[in-house]
Amino acid sequence: MSSPFASVVFAGGGSRCVWQIGFWEVVAPVIGLEPERIAAVSAGSAMASILVSGQREEALHHFSSRMEANEKNFYPGNLLRPGVPAFPQAAIYREAMLATFDDEGFRKLQEGPPIYILLARPPRWVGARSGALLGMLTYKLEKKLRHPLHPEWGLKVGFVPEVVSSHDCNTPEEFVDLVLQSSCTPPFTPLYRRGGRSVLDGGLVDNVPVVALPKESLEQKTLVLLSRPYPEGKLLGHPNRVYVQPSRPATVSTWDYTSPEGLMETYNIGREDGEQFLQRWDG
């Protein structure tokens, strides 16, 4: 059976993105979902890589166990301790990803379809920290005023998209660095640099990164996996694209790294929504 979708897009959304794993697990084997390419951003790139490498069980274990051991999302006392982060998310993220992508997991990732991962370069007229603040303010304001499916204001104020393929990474460490760079959201993460220049969360350009797909693939059928509910009308009228979304809000928030129960509940919502999708699926 040939794959019904040539491309799949994974939206960002932090811990909420685990919904995508649950949905994929139920739907992919039934409809024969084997895309030629994937586009992803931020935590969506982590979910895509976990699925492509077949490391779902390992990844959920590594993330859940580290969340179980983490009491708080913010440790204010560490603000007075040089070199000790007040926000634990970046360290947990990196440790869990490195534990997931051992040599075997990384080999499987490189044998699978390329994952085109979206990064955002800040405008040249602002510094790294100012760029992070500008990006978040722009993103939040547009989200509040326009509720867009594909944001536009980040590009208008000067953020520049950059796309890097998972196949360009030579080691698990290089790949995990790329995922963290695409997820760079201070203060939850440090400021990251790539190629000597500042880089920020690609979601500041577009948190639903269809833009990361090669242009020649846009005429082919694409499945877009969101991480939060949007008004149904926004999902319609996009030629060659099928958007799917959670049926209800996730039980874990974007940067909540204290709730393995919420993580698994969100994963299970994805499985339930996958079953509902299959009931409507007509090929």
Side-chain angles (χ1 to χ4, degrees):
M1 178 169 52
S2 61
S3 178
F5 298 98
S7 305
V8 178
V9 175
F10 285 72
S15 297
R16 303 193 316 259
C17 290
V18 76
W19 176 91
Q20 297 163 342
I21 293 183
F23 182 91
W24 178 289
E25 278 191 333
V26 170
V27 170
V30 176
I31 69 172
L33 182 57
E34 295 183 359
E36 299 173 20
R37 68 197 67 81
I38 291 170
V41 67
S42 196
S45 59
M47 304 303 128
S49 63
I50 288 164
L51 289 165
V52 168
S53 65
Q55 301 293 96
R56 188 273 307 171
E57 186 173 343
E58 294 84 350
L60 290 179
H61 166 73
H62 291 308
F63 274 98
S64 294
S65 62
R66 283 164 174 77
M67 288 182 176
E68 184 74 41
N70 179 51
E71 295 182 357
K72 296 184 287 186
N73 287 310
F74 176 51
Y75 294 83
N78 289 349
L79 293 171
L80 303 177
R81 302 173 62 190
V84 181
F87 293 89
Q89 289 88 344
I92 293 172
Y93 199 168
R94 183 179 295 277
E95 290 169 5
M97 287 290 287
L98 285 173
T100 298
F101 288 100
D102 55 14
D103 291 340
E104 178 65 12
F106 184 69
R107 180 187 66 78
K108 292 179 181 177
L109 176 66
Q110 297 304 81
E111 291 175 351
I115 304 172
Y116 296 104
I117 297 177
L118 180 63
L119 313 171
R121 297 289 190 178
R124 291 188 178 275
W125 49 271
V126 296
R129 295 186 183 279
S130 300
L133 180 59
L134 172 66
M136 290 309 300
L137 288 175
T138 301
Y139 178 82
K140 294 290 187 183
L141 184 61
E142 184 178 15
K143 181 178 174 182
K144 182 178 179 62
L145 296 179
R146 296 183 62 242
H147 310 289
L149 182 60
H150 294 282
E152 299 174 354
W153 289 6
L155 288 171
K156 289 181 177 179
V157 300
F159 285 89
V160 178
E162 182 173 326
V163 179
V164 181
S165 169
S166 58
H167 287 185
D168 292 336
C169 299
N170 297 312
T171 66
E173 291 77 12
E174 281 187 33
F175 177 71
V176 172
D177 283 346
L178 174 60
V179 171
L180 267 290
Q181 290 160 1
S182 180
S183 307
C184 181
T185 312
F188 302 107
T189 72
L191 288 166
Y192 293 123
R193 298 177 72 82
R194 183 177 183 86
R197 295 172 50 219
S198 298
V199 65
L200 292 167
D201 191 311
L204 298 178
V205 172
D206 192 345
N207 200 47
V208 186
V210 174
V211 68
L213 289 172
K215 289 183 179 179
E216 62 271 16
S217 70
L218 296 179
E219 297 302 315
Q220 297 177 295
K221 202 163 184 182
T222 299
L223 177 66
V224 183
L225 304 180
L226 301 172
S227 65
R228 64 181 179 88
Y230 290 80
E232 287 287 346
K234 290 186 178 290
L235 310 187
L236 305 176
H238 303 277
N240 302 316
R241 297 181 207 163
V242 174
Y243 288 80
V244 292
Q245 64 181 356
S247 57
R248 57 189 186 276
T251 55
V252 65
S253 60
T254 303
W255 285 104
D256 182 6
Y257 277 35
T258 65
S259 178
E261 298 83 8
L263 192 76
M264 293 310 298
E265 287 173 16
T266 301
Y267 162 79
N268 286 326
I269 294 173
R271 292 188 62 86
E272 294 169 10
D273 291 344
E275 296 287 357
Q276 292 295 317
F277 177 85
L278 290 177
Q279 291 181 18
R280 302 188 302 270
W281 174 253
D282 60 8

